[in-house]
Amino acid sequence: MKVAVIGGGSTYTPELVEGFGLRRDVLPVEELVLHDIDQSRLDVVGGLAERILGKLDFPGRLTITTDRESAVEGADFVLVQLRVGGLPARLKDETIPPRFGCIGQETTGPGGFAKALRTVPVVLEIAEDTARLGAPGAWLLDFTNPAGLVTQGLIDHGHRAIGLCNIPIGFQRELAKQLGVQPSQVQLEHVGLNHLSWERRVMVDGVDRLPELIDGFSDQLGEDVDLPGDLVRLLRAIPSYYLRYFYLTDEIVEKQRSERPRADEVMEIERGLLEMYSDPSVDVKPKLLEQRGGAFYSEAAAMLVESLHTDRGDVQVVNVRNDGAIPNMADDAVVEVACRIDASGATPLTVEPLAPEMLGLVEQVKAYERLTVAAAVSGDRDLALKALMANPLTSQYRVAKPLLDALLEANREHLPRFF
């Protein structure tokens, strides 16, 4: 088996490499390739990756390269975890929208829109390389945000792709801890879109434990996702952390005006991480990596590859075509739901329809996602404006129009289709 990681110079990579190293007995990876366009970062991260794999007695070989075609050639799995424009682009995503009274965030709202415009064309190019050069039946697994929107673009263009986010596995682990059971005993009814989802059931050995969690711990559950406990009680479901941007928009915008942008913090963390990674005596992922975000990322990623390869048939939450799983959503909409994972791919498990208060928001964001994919591919400014207006966080024309101009100009070097 050959696994290629596009964006292998990411500071997340040691986490991912550890996931594969720990599964060396069940995943016969003969070659693990780390690809990046930044040779200096690749050398640093690749050096630590080699030391981690050596410590874990990983039997395969590690290759680092800046040649994307050679990276994906013959690959059975291509994992995409890139950031077009790097953290400086993220800083723009977080700081431009607040000037227009909007949420500044890297995957949600207008910041996520700008990131999607930069990202979708690049990931589609990687998917085309994979289809042309990869092993027969190669899978493209997208961890690049906005993951659901990017996966919508991949599947709409006919690619063999699955999207993955660490939020569902994070919920599973935290709720298992709260209930005093093993994570493997917990199966979530996770419904909605990537970064726009709710936990509607928490099944433990066939029994839904969510009602008792809400009745006894709704304030704590709300605190964990930065939302009021009253809202958890009202919905009778646990919203993801990202729902705060939709449910508490004005509060968050006001808060962001006085807070340091998260991108600034991440840049500082990354500088520290890369300095640690450069130390030849370091052969484990540093604890500082936990502050970077992405908890359980390696576990989710390696587990998905393992289940696809071994035909395991377990249940994991991923981003796939709906195909009737959520009955009141279109079949071709990419949704984030529990799926049965085996060698044929990810088959979504059918759930009850979304309640009106969830469906309305999901349908509006899905319309925004579809328009954004179309705009990213075409470079059509009218489509881009329609996309921003469809986004619930940027819906007013007199806000969306000048905001679009500002976002396009700030990202000019990464958006040749629009210029």
Side-chain angles (χ1 to χ4, degrees), residues 52-101:
I52 289 172
L53 292 175
K55 188 172 185 178
L56 293 172
D57 294 323
F58 180 71
R61 74 177 182 276
L62 178 71
T63 303
I64 64 170
T65 181
T66 56
D67 182 348
R68 193 171 76 199
E69 289 196 349
S70 71
V72 303
E73 187 173 6
D76 301 279
F77 295 94
V78 176
L79 282 59
V80 183
Q81 55 170 33
L82 51 83
R83 184 188 294 277
V84 178
L87 289 173
R90 174 175 177 170
L91 186 61
K92 293 175 185 176
D93 296 342
E94 292 178 357
T95 55
I96 293 173
R99 302 203 317 248
F100 296 81

mmCIF file of all heavy atoms in Angstrom, residues 52-101:
data_model
loop_
_atom_site.group_PDB
_atom_site.id
_atom_site.type_symbol
_atom_site.label_atom_id
_atom_site.label_comp_id
_atom_site.label_asym_id
_atom_site.label_seq_id
_atom_site.Cartn_x
_atom_site.Cartn_y
_atom_site.Cartn_z
ATOM 1 N N ILE A 52 9.916 9.555 14.392
ATOM 2 C CA ILE A 52 8.735 8.940 15.013
ATOM 3 C C ILE A 52 8.529 7.534 14.472
ATOM 4 O O ILE A 52 8.303 6.573 15.229
ATOM 5 C CB ILE A 52 7.479 9.807 14.750
ATOM 6 C CG1 ILE A 52 7.543 11.095 15.562
ATOM 7 C CG2 ILE A 52 6.206 9.032 15.103
ATOM 8 C CD1 ILE A 52 6.443 12.096 15.233
ATOM 9 N N LEU A 53 8.598 7.391 13.155
ATOM 10 C CA LEU A 53 8.380 6.072 12.541
ATOM 11 C C LEU A 53 9.472 5.093 12.944
ATOM 12 O O LEU A 53 9.205 3.901 13.151
ATOM 13 C CB LEU A 53 8.310 6.213 11.018
ATOM 14 C CG LEU A 53 7.081 6.975 10.484
ATOM 15 C CD1 LEU A 53 7.190 7.163 8.974
ATOM 16 C CD2 LEU A 53 5.793 6.253 10.838
ATOM 17 N N GLY A 54 10.709 5.598 13.063
ATOM 18 C CA GLY A 54 11.803 4.725 13.502
ATOM 19 C C GLY A 54 11.570 4.209 14.905
ATOM 20 O O GLY A 54 11.783 3.026 15.204
ATOM 21 N N LYS A 55 11.095 5.083 15.773
ATOM 22 C CA LYS A 55 10.830 4.686 17.157
ATOM 23 C C LYS A 55 9.703 3.659 17.239
ATOM 24 O O LYS A 55 9.681 2.807 18.135
ATOM 25 C CB LYS A 55 10.476 5.923 17.984
ATOM 26 C CG LYS A 55 10.358 5.654 19.474
ATOM 27 C CD LYS A 55 10.207 6.936 20.265
ATOM 28 C CE LYS A 55 10.205 6.642 21.757
ATOM 29 N NZ LYS A 55 10.101 7.865 22.567
ATOM 30 N N LEU A 56 8.751 3.739 16.297
ATOM 31 C CA LEU A 56 7.597 2.820 16.293
ATOM 32 C C LEU A 56 7.867 1.564 15.467
ATOM 33 O O LEU A 56 6.955 0.756 15.252
ATOM 34 C CB LEU A 56 6.359 3.551 15.749
ATOM 35 C CG LEU A 56 5.812 4.686 16.616
ATOM 36 C CD1 LEU A 56 4.719 5.440 15.879
ATOM 37 C CD2 LEU A 56 5.281 4.148 17.941
ATOM 38 N N ASP A 57 9.110 1.392 14.975
ATOM 39 C CA ASP A 57 9.480 0.226 14.153
ATOM 40 C C ASP A 57 8.574 0.093 12.933
ATOM 41 O O ASP A 57 8.134 -1.006 12.568
ATOM 42 C CB ASP A 57 9.417 -1.067 14.987
ATOM 43 C CG ASP A 57 10.459 -1.079 16.090
ATOM 44 O OD1 ASP A 57 11.572 -0.580 15.854
ATOM 45 O OD2 ASP A 57 10.154 -1.577 17.192
ATOM 46 N N PHE A 58 8.289 1.217 12.303
ATOM 47 C CA PHE A 58 7.467 1.228 11.086
ATOM 48 C C PHE A 58 8.243 0.537 9.966
ATOM 49 O O PHE A 58 9.372 0.922 9.658
ATOM 50 C CB PHE A 58 7.160 2.683 10.717
ATOM 51 C CG PHE A 58 6.332 2.861 9.489
ATOM 52 C CD1 PHE A 58 4.986 2.523 9.479
ATOM 53 C CD2 PHE A 58 6.887 3.401 8.329
ATOM 54 C CE1 PHE A 58 4.205 2.717 8.353
ATOM 55 C CE2 PHE A 58 6.111 3.604 7.199
ATOM 56 C CZ PHE A 58 4.767 3.258 7.209
ATOM 57 N N PRO A 59 7.661 -0.498 9.341
ATOM 58 C CA PRO A 59 8.421 -1.282 8.372
ATOM 59 C C PRO A 59 8.505 -0.672 6.974
ATOM 60 O O PRO A 59 9.357 -1.049 6.173
ATOM 61 C CB PRO A 59 7.652 -2.608 8.318
ATOM 62 C CG PRO A 59 6.239 -2.226 8.647
ATOM 63 C CD PRO A 59 6.343 -1.085 9.615
ATOM 64 N N GLY A 60 7.626 0.281 6.668
ATOM 65 C CA GLY A 60 7.623 0.878 5.335
ATOM 66 C C GLY A 60 8.685 1.963 5.201
ATOM 67 O O GLY A 60 9.422 2.262 6.138
ATOM 68 N N ARG A 61 8.725 2.579 4.022
ATOM 69 C CA ARG A 61 9.699 3.652 3.807
ATOM 70 C C ARG A 61 8.975 4.998 3.736
ATOM 71 O O ARG A 61 7.833 5.089 3.302
ATOM 72 C CB ARG A 61 10.535 3.415 2.548
ATOM 73 C CG ARG A 61 9.839 3.641 1.229
ATOM 74 C CD ARG A 61 10.831 3.424 0.066
ATOM 75 N NE ARG A 61 10.222 3.666 -1.229
ATOM 76 C CZ ARG A 61 9.516 2.775 -1.906
ATOM 77 N NH1 ARG A 61 9.331 1.566 -1.402
ATOM 78 N NH2 ARG A 61 8.994 3.078 -3.085
ATOM 79 N N LEU A 62 9.664 6.028 4.179
ATOM 80 C CA LEU A 62 9.137 7.387 4.152
ATOM 81 C C LEU A 62 9.813 8.146 3.017
ATOM 82 O O LEU A 62 11.036 8.140 2.898
ATOM 83 C CB LEU A 62 9.407 8.092 5.482
ATOM 84 C CG LEU A 62 8.942 9.543 5.569
ATOM 85 C CD1 LEU A 62 7.418 9.624 5.625
ATOM 86 C CD2 LEU A 62 9.541 10.232 6.804
ATOM 87 N N THR A 63 8.996 8.798 2.180
ATOM 88 C CA THR A 63 9.519 9.604 1.079
ATOM 89 C C THR A 63 9.027 11.030 1.256
ATOM 90 O O THR A 63 7.853 11.247 1.580
ATOM 91 C CB THR A 63 9.011 9.067 -0.277
ATOM 92 O OG1 THR A 63 9.392 7.697 -0.425
ATOM 93 C CG2 THR A 63 9.559 9.878 -1.438
ATOM 94 N N ILE A 64 9.913 12.002 1.073
ATOM 95 C CA ILE A 64 9.467 13.395 1.068
ATOM 96 C C ILE A 64 9.780 13.991 -0.302
ATOM 97 O O ILE A 64 10.842 13.725 -0.878
ATOM 98 C CB ILE A 64 10.097 14.219 2.209
ATOM 99 C CG1 ILE A 64 11.605 14.333 2.063
ATOM 100 C CG2 ILE A 64 9.742 13.636 3.559
ATOM 101 C CD1 ILE A 64 12.220 15.332 3.036
ATOM 102 N N THR A 65 8.840 14.790 -0.829
ATOM 103 C CA THR A 65 9.010 15.310 -2.184
ATOM 104 C C THR A 65 8.188 16.576 -2.388
ATOM 105 O O THR A 65 7.156 16.766 -1.738
ATOM 106 C CB THR A 65 8.595 14.251 -3.230
ATOM 107 O OG1 THR A 65 8.801 14.777 -4.547
ATOM 108 C CG2 THR A 65 7.125 13.863 -3.086
ATOM 109 N N THR A 66 8.659 17.421 -3.314
ATOM 110 C CA THR A 66 7.879 18.580 -3.743
ATOM 111 C C THR A 66 7.215 18.314 -5.091
ATOM 112 O O THR A 66 6.557 19.196 -5.645
ATOM 113 C CB THR A 66 8.781 19.823 -3.867
ATOM 114 O OG1 THR A 66 9.863 19.527 -4.769
ATOM 115 C CG2 THR A 66 9.347 20.232 -2.509
ATOM 116 N N ASP A 67 7.374 17.112 -5.625
ATOM 117 C CA ASP A 67 6.796 16.723 -6.915
ATOM 118 C C ASP A 67 5.454 16.024 -6.680
ATOM 119 O O ASP A 67 5.421 14.869 -6.249
ATOM 120 C CB ASP A 67 7.768 15.790 -7.651
ATOM 121 C CG ASP A 67 7.265 15.368 -9.027
ATOM 122 O OD1 ASP A 67 6.073 15.593 -9.335
ATOM 123 O OD2 ASP A 67 8.066 14.798 -9.794
ATOM 124 N N ARG A 68 4.375 16.724 -6.953
ATOM 125 C CA ARG A 68 3.048 16.177 -6.642
ATOM 126 C C ARG A 68 2.719 14.944 -7.478
ATOM 127 O O ARG A 68 2.109 13.989 -6.977
ATOM 128 C CB ARG A 68 1.977 17.250 -6.834
ATOM 129 C CG ARG A 68 0.632 16.869 -6.228
ATOM 130 C CD ARG A 68 -0.324 18.037 -6.245
ATOM 131 N NE ARG A 68 -0.872 18.268 -7.569
ATOM 132 C CZ ARG A 68 -1.442 19.414 -7.952
ATOM 133 N NH1 ARG A 68 -1.488 20.426 -7.103
ATOM 134 N NH2 ARG A 68 -1.935 19.556 -9.162
ATOM 135 N N GLU A 69 3.091 14.956 -8.733
ATOM 136 C CA GLU A 69 2.752 13.811 -9.590
ATOM 137 C C GLU A 69 3.427 12.537 -9.101
ATOM 138 O O GLU A 69 2.807 11.476 -9.060
ATOM 139 C CB GLU A 69 3.124 14.103 -11.044
ATOM 140 C CG GLU A 69 2.220 15.134 -11.700
ATOM 141 C CD GLU A 69 2.331 15.135 -13.219
ATOM 142 O OE1 GLU A 69 3.269 14.484 -13.751
ATOM 143 O OE2 GLU A 69 1.494 15.771 -13.875
ATOM 144 N N SER A 70 4.690 12.636 -8.721
ATOM 145 C CA SER A 70 5.369 11.432 -8.216
ATOM 146 C C SER A 70 4.785 11.010 -6.871
ATOM 147 O O SER A 70 4.761 9.820 -6.534
ATOM 148 C CB SER A 70 6.879 11.667 -8.096
ATOM 149 O OG SER A 70 7.174 12.539 -7.032
ATOM 150 N N ALA A 71 4.293 11.981 -6.103
ATOM 151 C CA ALA A 71 3.693 11.651 -4.805
ATOM 152 C C ALA A 71 2.440 10.808 -4.976
ATOM 153 O O ALA A 71 2.239 9.823 -4.267
ATOM 154 C CB ALA A 71 3.373 12.932 -4.036
ATOM 155 N N VAL A 72 1.568 11.183 -5.910
ATOM 156 C CA VAL A 72 0.293 10.462 -6.048
ATOM 157 C C VAL A 72 0.400 9.260 -6.973
ATOM 158 O O VAL A 72 -0.493 8.399 -6.969
ATOM 159 C CB VAL A 72 -0.837 11.398 -6.547
ATOM 160 C CG1 VAL A 72 -1.011 12.581 -5.618
ATOM 161 C CG2 VAL A 72 -0.604 11.855 -7.969
ATOM 162 N N GLU A 73 1.468 9.157 -7.740
ATOM 163 C CA GLU A 73 1.589 8.047 -8.691
ATOM 164 C C GLU A 73 1.562 6.699 -7.953
ATOM 165 O O GLU A 73 2.367 6.434 -7.067
ATOM 166 C CB GLU A 73 2.892 8.163 -9.481
ATOM 167 C CG GLU A 73 2.998 7.136 -10.595
ATOM 168 C CD GLU A 73 4.207 7.371 -11.481
ATOM 169 O OE1 GLU A 73 5.026 8.262 -11.163
ATOM 170 O OE2 GLU A 73 4.333 6.654 -12.484
ATOM 171 N N GLY A 74 0.597 5.869 -8.315
ATOM 172 C CA GLY A 74 0.471 4.549 -7.705
ATOM 173 C C GLY A 74 -0.084 4.544 -6.295
ATOM 174 O O GLY A 74 -0.159 3.494 -5.656
ATOM 175 N N ALA A 75 -0.508 5.708 -5.797
ATOM 176 C CA ALA A 75 -1.007 5.780 -4.420
ATOM 177 C C ALA A 75 -2.398 5.156 -4.310
ATOM 178 O O ALA A 75 -3.258 5.364 -5.167
ATOM 179 C CB ALA A 75 -1.038 7.220 -3.937
ATOM 180 N N ASP A 76 -2.615 4.402 -3.240
ATOM 181 C CA ASP A 76 -3.931 3.829 -2.951
ATOM 182 C C ASP A 76 -4.809 4.817 -2.201
ATOM 183 O O ASP A 76 -6.028 4.806 -2.330
ATOM 184 C CB ASP A 76 -3.767 2.561 -2.106
ATOM 185 C CG ASP A 76 -2.924 1.519 -2.805
ATOM 186 O OD1 ASP A 76 -3.466 0.807 -3.667
ATOM 187 O OD2 ASP A 76 -1.713 1.441 -2.505
ATOM 188 N N PHE A 77 -4.156 5.662 -1.381
ATOM 189 C CA PHE A 77 -4.860 6.680 -0.613
ATOM 190 C C PHE A 77 -4.092 7.994 -0.739
ATOM 191 O O PHE A 77 -2.882 8.033 -0.519
ATOM 192 C CB PHE A 77 -4.961 6.292 0.863
ATOM 193 C CG PHE A 77 -5.792 5.061 1.113
ATOM 194 C CD1 PHE A 77 -5.193 3.809 1.197
ATOM 195 C CD2 PHE A 77 -7.171 5.152 1.240
ATOM 196 C CE1 PHE A 77 -5.958 2.673 1.417
ATOM 197 C CE2 PHE A 77 -7.944 4.026 1.455
ATOM 198 C CZ PHE A 77 -7.333 2.783 1.542
ATOM 199 N N VAL A 78 -4.813 9.052 -1.085
ATOM 200 C CA VAL A 78 -4.234 10.394 -1.147
ATOM 201 C C VAL A 78 -4.959 11.246 -0.113
ATOM 202 O O VAL A 78 -6.172 11.463 -0.216
ATOM 203 C CB VAL A 78 -4.369 11.007 -2.552
ATOM 204 C CG1 VAL A 78 -3.852 12.438 -2.562
ATOM 205 C CG2 VAL A 78 -3.608 10.157 -3.577
ATOM 206 N N LEU A 79 -4.237 11.674 0.905
ATOM 207 C CA LEU A 79 -4.802 12.471 1.995
ATOM 208 C C LEU A 79 -4.445 13.929 1.749
ATOM 209 O O LEU A 79 -3.268 14.259 1.594
ATOM 210 C CB LEU A 79 -4.237 12.016 3.340
ATOM 211 C CG LEU A 79 -4.811 10.730 3.959
ATOM 212 C CD1 LEU A 79 -4.640 9.529 3.051
ATOM 213 C CD2 LEU A 79 -4.154 10.449 5.296
ATOM 214 N N VAL A 80 -5.451 14.790 1.724
ATOM 215 C CA VAL A 80 -5.233 16.203 1.407
ATOM 216 C C VAL A 80 -5.456 17.034 2.667
ATOM 217 O O VAL A 80 -6.544 17.035 3.236
ATOM 218 C CB VAL A 80 -6.179 16.666 0.287
ATOM 219 C CG1 VAL A 80 -5.885 18.114 -0.084
ATOM 220 C CG2 VAL A 80 -6.031 15.770 -0.943
ATOM 221 N N GLN A 81 -4.413 17.755 3.092
ATOM 222 C CA GLN A 81 -4.485 18.562 4.326
ATOM 223 C C GLN A 81 -3.731 19.876 4.119
ATOM 224 O O GLN A 81 -2.884 20.253 4.910
ATOM 225 C CB GLN A 81 -3.914 17.778 5.511
ATOM 226 C CG GLN A 81 -2.490 17.273 5.297
ATOM 227 C CD GLN A 81 -1.851 16.725 6.551
ATOM 228 O OE1 GLN A 81 -2.503 16.160 7.417
ATOM 229 N NE2 GLN A 81 -0.537 16.901 6.669
ATOM 230 N N LEU A 82 -4.069 20.566 3.053
ATOM 231 C CA LEU A 82 -3.295 21.757 2.697
ATOM 232 C C LEU A 82 -4.003 23.050 3.106
ATOM 233 O O LEU A 82 -5.177 23.054 3.457
ATOM 234 C CB LEU A 82 -2.999 21.775 1.202
ATOM 235 C CG LEU A 82 -4.177 21.568 0.236
ATOM 236 C CD1 LEU A 82 -4.917 22.858 0.008
ATOM 237 C CD2 LEU A 82 -3.698 20.984 -1.079
ATOM 238 N N ARG A 83 -3.272 24.142 3.031
ATOM 239 C CA ARG A 83 -3.824 25.479 3.298
ATOM 240 C C ARG A 83 -3.256 26.419 2.250
ATOM 241 O O ARG A 83 -2.099 26.862 2.345
ATOM 242 C CB ARG A 83 -3.455 25.950 4.705
ATOM 243 C CG ARG A 83 -4.090 27.306 5.066
ATOM 244 C CD ARG A 83 -3.568 27.845 6.377
ATOM 245 N NE ARG A 83 -3.964 27.019 7.510
ATOM 246 C CZ ARG A 83 -5.150 27.111 8.136
ATOM 247 N NH1 ARG A 83 -6.034 27.973 7.706
ATOM 248 N NH2 ARG A 83 -5.416 26.330 9.159
ATOM 249 N N VAL A 84 -4.054 26.723 1.234
ATOM 250 C CA VAL A 84 -3.600 27.613 0.165
ATOM 251 C C VAL A 84 -3.395 29.019 0.729
ATOM 252 O O VAL A 84 -4.293 29.589 1.333
ATOM 253 C CB VAL A 84 -4.630 27.656 -0.987
ATOM 254 C CG1 VAL A 84 -4.168 28.619 -2.076
ATOM 255 C CG2 VAL A 84 -4.856 26.264 -1.562
ATOM 256 N N GLY A 85 -2.184 29.521 0.562
ATOM 257 C CA GLY A 85 -1.864 30.850 1.099
ATOM 258 C C GLY A 85 -1.316 30.828 2.507
ATOM 259 O O GLY A 85 -0.906 31.868 3.031
ATOM 260 N N GLY A 86 -1.335 29.658 3.149
ATOM 261 C CA GLY A 86 -0.778 29.525 4.486
ATOM 262 C C GLY A 86 -1.519 30.352 5.529
ATOM 263 O O GLY A 86 -2.634 30.842 5.304
ATOM 264 N N LEU A 87 -0.893 30.523 6.672
ATOM 265 C CA LEU A 87 -1.527 31.264 7.769
ATOM 266 C C LEU A 87 -1.712 32.756 7.485
ATOM 267 O O LEU A 87 -2.666 33.357 8.000
ATOM 268 C CB LEU A 87 -0.739 31.047 9.058
ATOM 269 C CG LEU A 87 -0.879 29.632 9.644
ATOM 270 C CD1 LEU A 87 0.067 29.443 10.821
ATOM 271 C CD2 LEU A 87 -2.314 29.340 10.067
ATOM 272 N N PRO A 88 -0.867 33.383 6.651
ATOM 273 C CA PRO A 88 -1.167 34.779 6.300
ATOM 274 C C PRO A 88 -2.542 34.932 5.625
ATOM 275 O O PRO A 88 -3.248 35.914 5.875
ATOM 276 C CB PRO A 88 -0.026 35.153 5.347
ATOM 277 C CG PRO A 88 1.118 34.303 5.804
ATOM 278 C CD PRO A 88 0.481 32.991 6.183
ATOM 279 N N ALA A 89 -2.921 33.938 4.817
ATOM 280 C CA ALA A 89 -4.252 33.979 4.192
ATOM 281 C C ALA A 89 -5.332 33.796 5.250
ATOM 282 O O ALA A 89 -6.393 34.426 5.190
ATOM 283 C CB ALA A 89 -4.356 32.916 3.112
ATOM 284 N N ARG A 90 -5.073 32.918 6.224
ATOM 285 C CA ARG A 90 -6.042 32.728 7.308
ATOM 286 C C ARG A 90 -6.233 34.036 8.079
ATOM 287 O O ARG A 90 -7.367 34.374 8.462
ATOM 288 C CB ARG A 90 -5.570 31.623 8.249
ATOM 289 C CG ARG A 90 -6.469 31.489 9.481
ATOM 290 C CD ARG A 90 -6.085 30.325 10.365
ATOM 291 N NE ARG A 90 -6.943 30.311 11.557
ATOM 292 C CZ ARG A 90 -6.988 29.297 12.438
ATOM 293 N NH1 ARG A 90 -6.239 28.240 12.261
ATOM 294 N NH2 ARG A 90 -7.781 29.364 13.487
ATOM 295 N N LEU A 91 -5.161 34.770 8.303
ATOM 296 C CA LEU A 91 -5.270 36.032 9.028
ATOM 297 C C LEU A 91 -6.197 37.002 8.286
ATOM 298 O O LEU A 91 -7.009 37.702 8.900
ATOM 299 C CB LEU A 91 -3.882 36.648 9.214
ATOM 300 C CG LEU A 91 -3.812 37.909 10.070
ATOM 301 C CD1 LEU A 91 -4.298 37.644 11.485
ATOM 302 C CD2 LEU A 91 -2.387 38.466 10.097
ATOM 303 N N LYS A 92 -6.117 37.013 6.970
ATOM 304 C CA LYS A 92 -7.029 37.852 6.177
ATOM 305 C C LYS A 92 -8.474 37.375 6.339
ATOM 306 O O LYS A 92 -9.396 38.188 6.467
ATOM 307 C CB LYS A 92 -6.635 37.810 4.701
ATOM 308 C CG LYS A 92 -5.298 38.452 4.386
ATOM 309 C CD LYS A 92 -4.938 38.252 2.926
ATOM 310 C CE LYS A 92 -3.541 38.782 2.615
ATOM 311 N NZ LYS A 92 -3.150 38.498 1.212
ATOM 312 N N ASP A 93 -8.666 36.048 6.329
ATOM 313 C CA ASP A 93 -10.020 35.494 6.486
ATOM 314 C C ASP A 93 -10.647 35.927 7.813
ATOM 315 O O ASP A 93 -11.861 36.091 7.918
ATOM 316 C CB ASP A 93 -9.985 33.959 6.440
ATOM 317 C CG ASP A 93 -9.528 33.418 5.096
ATOM 318 O OD1 ASP A 93 -9.566 34.167 4.107
ATOM 319 O OD2 ASP A 93 -9.130 32.227 5.050
ATOM 320 N N GLU A 94 -9.810 36.090 8.831
ATOM 321 C CA GLU A 94 -10.310 36.413 10.164
ATOM 322 C C GLU A 94 -10.429 37.921 10.410
ATOM 323 O O GLU A 94 -11.199 38.339 11.282
ATOM 324 C CB GLU A 94 -9.388 35.799 11.222
ATOM 325 C CG GLU A 94 -9.432 34.285 11.244
ATOM 326 C CD GLU A 94 -8.493 33.648 12.260
ATOM 327 O OE1 GLU A 94 -7.745 34.398 12.927
ATOM 328 O OE2 GLU A 94 -8.505 32.419 12.378
ATOM 329 N N THR A 95 -9.692 38.730 9.651
ATOM 330 C CA THR A 95 -9.648 40.157 9.969
ATOM 331 C C THR A 95 -10.392 41.050 8.976
ATOM 332 O O THR A 95 -10.791 42.157 9.337
ATOM 333 C CB THR A 95 -8.187 40.640 10.069
ATOM 334 O OG1 THR A 95 -7.499 40.303 8.857
ATOM 335 C CG2 THR A 95 -7.480 39.989 11.252
ATOM 336 N N ILE A 96 -10.606 40.593 7.754
ATOM 337 C CA ILE A 96 -11.333 41.428 6.785
ATOM 338 C C ILE A 96 -12.835 41.458 7.088
ATOM 339 O O ILE A 96 -13.428 42.545 7.159
ATOM 340 C CB ILE A 96 -11.065 40.967 5.339
ATOM 341 C CG1 ILE A 96 -9.604 41.234 4.969
ATOM 342 C CG2 ILE A 96 -12.000 41.679 4.353
ATOM 343 C CD1 ILE A 96 -9.179 40.675 3.622
ATOM 344 N N PRO A 97 -13.513 40.297 7.297
ATOM 345 C CA PRO A 97 -14.967 40.346 7.525
ATOM 346 C C PRO A 97 -15.413 41.235 8.686
ATOM 347 O O PRO A 97 -16.427 41.942 8.551
ATOM 348 C CB PRO A 97 -15.324 38.873 7.751
ATOM 349 C CG PRO A 97 -14.301 38.119 6.975
ATOM 350 C CD PRO A 97 -13.045 38.904 7.176
ATOM 351 N N PRO A 98 -14.713 41.270 9.838
ATOM 352 C CA PRO A 98 -15.185 42.137 10.919
ATOM 353 C C PRO A 98 -15.241 43.619 10.547
ATOM 354 O O PRO A 98 -16.019 44.377 11.131
ATOM 355 C CB PRO A 98 -14.167 41.889 12.045
ATOM 356 C CG PRO A 98 -13.698 40.492 11.806
ATOM 357 C CD PRO A 98 -13.621 40.385 10.307
ATOM 358 N N ARG A 99 -14.451 44.038 9.564
ATOM 359 C CA ARG A 99 -14.523 45.434 9.107
ATOM 360 C C ARG A 99 -15.888 45.744 8.489
ATOM 361 O O ARG A 99 -16.279 46.900 8.387
ATOM 362 C CB ARG A 99 -13.415 45.716 8.082
ATOM 363 C CG ARG A 99 -12.005 45.467 8.584
ATOM 364 C CD ARG A 99 -10.959 46.246 7.811
ATOM 365 N NE ARG A 99 -11.135 46.246 6.382
ATOM 366 C CZ ARG A 99 -10.317 45.645 5.506
ATOM 367 N NH1 ARG A 99 -9.261 44.950 5.958
ATOM 368 N NH2 ARG A 99 -10.531 45.716 4.222
ATOM 369 N N PHE A 100 -16.592 44.692 8.080
ATOM 370 C CA PHE A 100 -17.912 44.838 7.465
ATOM 371 C C PHE A 100 -19.027 44.373 8.401
ATOM 372 O O PHE A 100 -20.153 44.156 7.980
ATOM 373 C CB PHE A 100 -17.965 44.041 6.158
ATOM 374 C CG PHE A 100 -17.005 44.540 5.111
ATOM 375 C CD1 PHE A 100 -15.660 44.170 5.141
ATOM 376 C CD2 PHE A 100 -17.427 45.408 4.116
ATOM 377 C CE1 PHE A 100 -14.766 44.645 4.193
ATOM 378 C CE2 PHE A 100 -16.549 45.886 3.165
ATOM 379 C CZ PHE A 100 -15.205 45.507 3.202
ATOM 380 N N GLY A 101 -18.657 44.196 9.686
ATOM 381 C CA GLY A 101 -19.646 43.786 10.678
ATOM 382 C C GLY A 101 -19.993 42.311 10.627
ATOM 383 O O GLY A 101 -21.051 41.899 11.115
#
